[in-house]
Each structure stands twice: as structure tokens, then as C-alpha cells.
Amino acid sequence: MQYSTMGKTVKLAGLGIGIAFTIFNPITEITVAQQSLVISFPSQTEYQTSSDRMFFLGSAPPAGNVLVNGQAIQRSPAGHFAPSFSLNMGENIFIFRYQNQEKRIKVNRISRQANVPNGLAFAQGSLSPSVNIARLPGELICFSAIAPTNATVTVKLGNQNIPLSPQVKQVELPPNLAVLVDKNQPIPPTPLIKGGLNPISKYEGCAVASEAGELGFPEFQLTGNGNTVSQVGQGRISILTPADLEIAEVIVDAGVARTGPSTDNSRLTPLPKGTLATITGREGDWVRLDYGAWIKAEEVRISRGSVPPKSIIRSVSAREIPGATQVIFPLQVPVPVSVQQGDRTFTLTLYNTTAQTDIIRLDDNPLISRLDWQQVAPNQVQYTFNLKSGQQWGYQLKYEGTSLVLTLRHSPTTSSQTGKPLTGITILLDPGHGGTEPGAAGPNGYLEKDVNLSVSRLLRDQLVARGATVYMTREDDKTVSLQERMAMINSVQPAIAISIHHNSLPDNGDAFNTSGFAAFWYHPQAHSLAVFLQKYVVQKLNRPSYGVYWDNLALTRPHSAPSVLLELGFMSNPFEFEWATNPQEQSKLAATLADGITEWFKQ
């Protein structure tokens, strides 16, 4: 069984009936004598992957050898193991043996390549577009298909016949997760093979429609050896009328804007509820907004509008509220926005907006030294706040009527008492996973959610002893959704938020030799905290470093406070697993993290 967390695929426990193992559980303090051979990953006796190699996790009593297909494997002093093996295409059999115990695992490696039926035919599911699309007149509309090499492929759309050409040198990029195992370089092109004998190719081509209208479904035609077959595509093509475009209104608190029409595309600045924009394209369940971003149709209300939503802006004003500065941008309609944080700068861009600004009031402010603005494009105004400090503490964006309200948080203030340097500081701790979401599993099946909670409790106590006010997203083993965790950060608005996790690897990772402490951040305001804590823990505890990552994770995305996610060690590494579940080492780690947080605030 697999579970996707933090953008990575990690492994769950296989806690079968009759399995016994030795653990010290810091939560329940239950000790069980291990007598059995345990395979915690994969938890099934049959497993399927597209990787060219994979690792196994397991445990057995330390005395004696564990054999895999007759060969002894390396183990930790406690008897845990995590060997990696190459996989042949198709069925791979692995037999684990300890004394008189045996476990048989069948791994089926499947191909990533398209499957083309025998004879003259397109590869199943290869025709693109596969969903309904809508574009403006004059935009490229592109088509692709996978078919036998040396064939002729065309697309009939309306009154056009569009030739598709074979793409023989296309380089493949590995998925984002490949950077976690240091295998993120481009993959050299390899010929697509059908049935191991006959080559196949990917065919692509584009066309332009100059007039609005419904063009219907494209008809793909494949010709080879004097024969022709046709197949109608699944995506209907429409060309929008520029003078009669629909309007989208964001109906959720933070509409997820992306660079393209799928969740594989990168996120942009979330759009505040009430934002209005013209729809300039559609693709499946996504709509494209006039400033270039895509958003899911379910997050907007779509209506007809006689005039595209555009605004002028004149005066801008600011006011101080407890712990923050609010800047009000009076607009005629709520327009799309984006944010960029830099060193001592905060830049806000308003789209579909033209400045008629002659006056801005900004008194001497504890946060902002100066506000600059410029019209960077005909319908794009940019405001740059020059800040007095290099560290930013969070922001919020919302529409009140048609006025955009930007709230910039001030530096937290402390009333330090002797021996309590964090007095006045609020910190939110998020013990990752919990309840029905167990997270990663160690070689003996012990679950990440329990280790996360144990360390988080210890860290909470250390921070409270230093004077901090600490909130936790969960105090016990219960299910808390990612949305609930993010909402709690936005509600509490702590000085910082830290999510506590333990790591694992994709199938093709080297579990036995991969270890280390890692920190993840998303907004620039959290970069300093992530780098400082990662370096501090690695040096103070002499731990291996797994690095610092910019990563688009649910618990790093909240922008109301500097938010980081820490991977304290690898559940999948037998040696580091033993360190991570040792109560004495957990106490040392919690104290070191608390010291690091204290030192960071002193900066």
C-alpha cells in the first residue's frame, strides 16, 4: 500500500496478523518481543511499479542472516534491513528467508511506453486533446497521437486537414520527485517499441482558426501500407467570440491559480474571493483567465458580461492595526493579483488595472520605509513596498467590497523574562499525519504518525519552558485534514509554524544509504527559518544533511506566517529509524530544535 504525502510517495506498514516485533513506542510504551520475519514494504505479496529498481523494508531478530534469493543482505544492529534490487520488465520474484521462515514477494514492472494494438491503429488513449477545449481566434490548437513509425497521420477539423509529424528526438523530463533521489536530469530520447519489434512514434501538429465557432471533434486519420483507419478524438474544439466572453468570479476564499490547466502545473498567487476576470480559454474542467492563469471551473461562478472587468486606481492609503499595517487599494471591480517577496521588498501586482494615481498617504511606519509604484504594462500596475527589515512575518489579501485590503504583519514583540527568551512568541506545531493517515512506516512497521507526535510533544514542552505560547494541530492520534491544518495557521496567526515529519523515498530510492535532516519552505519569508534550523540541527547533533528544498507543500503554503516543514530523518533507513524512535534521542532533538528556534528569533 502506498500513501502520497508532502508530494512524495511513501510506504505504509504491513501489520499482518501474527507478526510480532520489538519496538519502544514513545506514545504507548509497549514492548513486544520480536520473533518473526517482517516485511513492512511492500505490504502486499504482489506489487506493481514502473521503476527500474526498488527497495524493500523489513526486520528480523538480529542473530543470523536474512537471505534474499539465497544471498545474505546487510542489516542494522537491531536487525532491520532495506535492500534495493534492479527489476526486469515483467515479473520479478523475491524470496526472503530467515531461519525456517519465508516470505515471497512478486513485483511486476510495467512499461511507461504506450501500448499499440497489432495492425494499423493508434495507441490507446494517445489522441490529444482528450478533453473539450476552447481558444481565442488566432491561437494555436495542437494535436498529438502515437502510431506506428513511417505512417502518415493527419487530423481533419472543420474544413482543414492538419498534418502531424513524427517527433523522433523528444527529450523526456523525469517527475519532480526525481530530485529527491538525485535523478532529475533529462532522459535521452529512446525509440518507442511496439511488442519489442515494431517501432512507434509520437506525431504532433498545430493549426490556427481565425473565426469563432464550433469546430466539433477532430478526426484522426492513420495511413500505412496502402490502408487508412480513422478515429474521432474525445475533445471537442470551440473558438470563442472575443466580443462575447464569459466572466469568472472566484467563489472560494483562495482560488488556486496555476500556470496551466492541470494540477501538474505550478501554483500562482491565490486569488481572493470575489476576484473577477474574463475567461479567454477552456480545457476540460479548467478555465483560463485574462491575465494568463488557469483555475478550476468549480472555484468560480461563470456568467455573461457585456464589459470585461477592468478598473482604474487613484489614491492608496495605509493604516496601522494591532500587530500589522493594512494598505487599502480602492478599485472599481475586484481584479486578479499576484505577490512577490524579495529581500526587504514586497511587490503587489494588480492586473486589468490602469493607474490614475497622484497621491498616496503613508506615514512613518514600523514596517514600511517607502511605497513605490509603476504602470509596468497597459493594464498592469505594480506596487513595491520597501521594508525596514529583511524578515517578513506574513501577509493576507482580501476584498472588502471592491477594495483590496493588504495586511502586512509586524515583527512579533517579546517581553523577555529571565531564562524565558520566547515570552510573547506564539508558535504553531503540526505533528504530521495522524488517525487514518499513518504516513511512512519503519522496517518493523512502526508508523511515522506516532514518531511525529512524540517529538512534537517534547518540542512543545521545550518551547513552553522558554516562554512561548504553543498551539498544536493535534494532541493525540486523530485525523486532521490538510485544509484544517492550514486553516488553523491562518486562524492562530503564530509568529512561525512548523510541521514535523519523518521521511521516506520513492520506489527507486536507495533506502539503506539515504538519510538526513531536511527543511522545506515555499514563501521567501520562511527561507531564513528553514535554512537556519536545518544547519543548526545538523551541526549541533552531528546529523547527516538531506538539504533545504523549496517545495510546494500544503503546510509550507500558508502565507499568514513563516511556515516550514521539517523532515527529521528517514523512516526507511534502518539506522536512522532506530535513532528516530529512541526516546533519549528524541528528547535531545526536541531540545536542539527549541534552542535553534530561540537562536533564530534572537537574530
Side-chain angles (χ1 to χ4, degrees), residues 207 241 291 368:
T241 303
Y291 77 111
I368 305 165

Side-chain angles (χ1 to χ4, degrees), residues 200-348:
I200 59 176
S201 298
K202 184 175 184 179
Y203 294 79
E204 294 182 333
C206 300
V208 170
S210 58
E211 297 182 359
E214 293 291 335
L215 301 183
F217 293 89
E219 181 182 348
F220 291 77
Q221 294 186 337
L222 171 62
T223 301
N225 298 323
N227 299 315
T228 299
V229 296
S230 298
Q231 185 174 334
V232 177
Q234 293 183 329
R236 186 177 64 250
I237 312 297
S238 303
I239 305 301
L240 301 173
T241 303
D244 187 28
L245 297 177
E246 295 175 310
I247 306 299
E249 177 187 357
V250 176
I251 57 174
V252 294
D253 288 334
V256 180
R258 293 186 180 271
T259 57
S262 81
T263 54
D264 291 333
N265 289 282
S266 299
R267 287 175 177 252
L268 301 172
T269 300
L271 297 176
K273 187 176 183 178
T275 299
L276 295 173
T278 303
I279 295 174
T280 62
R282 286 178 175 267
E283 189 155 332
D285 297 329
W286 296 78
V287 296
R288 184 180 62 190
L289 306 181
D290 49 24
Y291 77 111
W294 292 80
I295 189 170
K296 275 199 166 183
E298 64 188 27
E299 295 192 355
V300 297
R301 179 185 296 114
I302 298 174
S303 61
R304 288 286 176 185
S306 57
V307 179
K310 296 184 183 298
S311 180
I312 61 170
I313 185 166
R314 292 176 178 158
S315 62
V316 176
S317 61
R319 65 192 179 203
E320 285 189 44
I321 62 173
T325 293
Q326 284 189 338
V327 185
I328 297 91
F329 301 85
L331 297 163
Q332 294 171 302
V333 296
V335 299
V337 300
S338 67
V339 163
Q340 183 176 8
Q341 292 177 307
D343 294 335
R344 294 181 180 270
T345 61
F346 181 98
T347 301
L348 173 70

Side-chain angles (χ1 to χ4, degrees), residues 10 50 160 175 180 212 218 269-270 299 369 376 406 417 496-497 532 558:
V10 297
S50 60
Q160 294 190 68
L180 299 174
T269 300
E299 295 192 355
S369 62
V376 295
L406 166 66
Q417 303 174 9
I496 60 173
F532 187 91

Side-chain angles (χ1 to χ4, degrees), residues 151-162:
T152 300
V153 180
T154 60
V155 170
K156 184 178 181 181
L157 181 66
N159 59 0
Q160 294 190 68
N161 284 303
I162 306 154

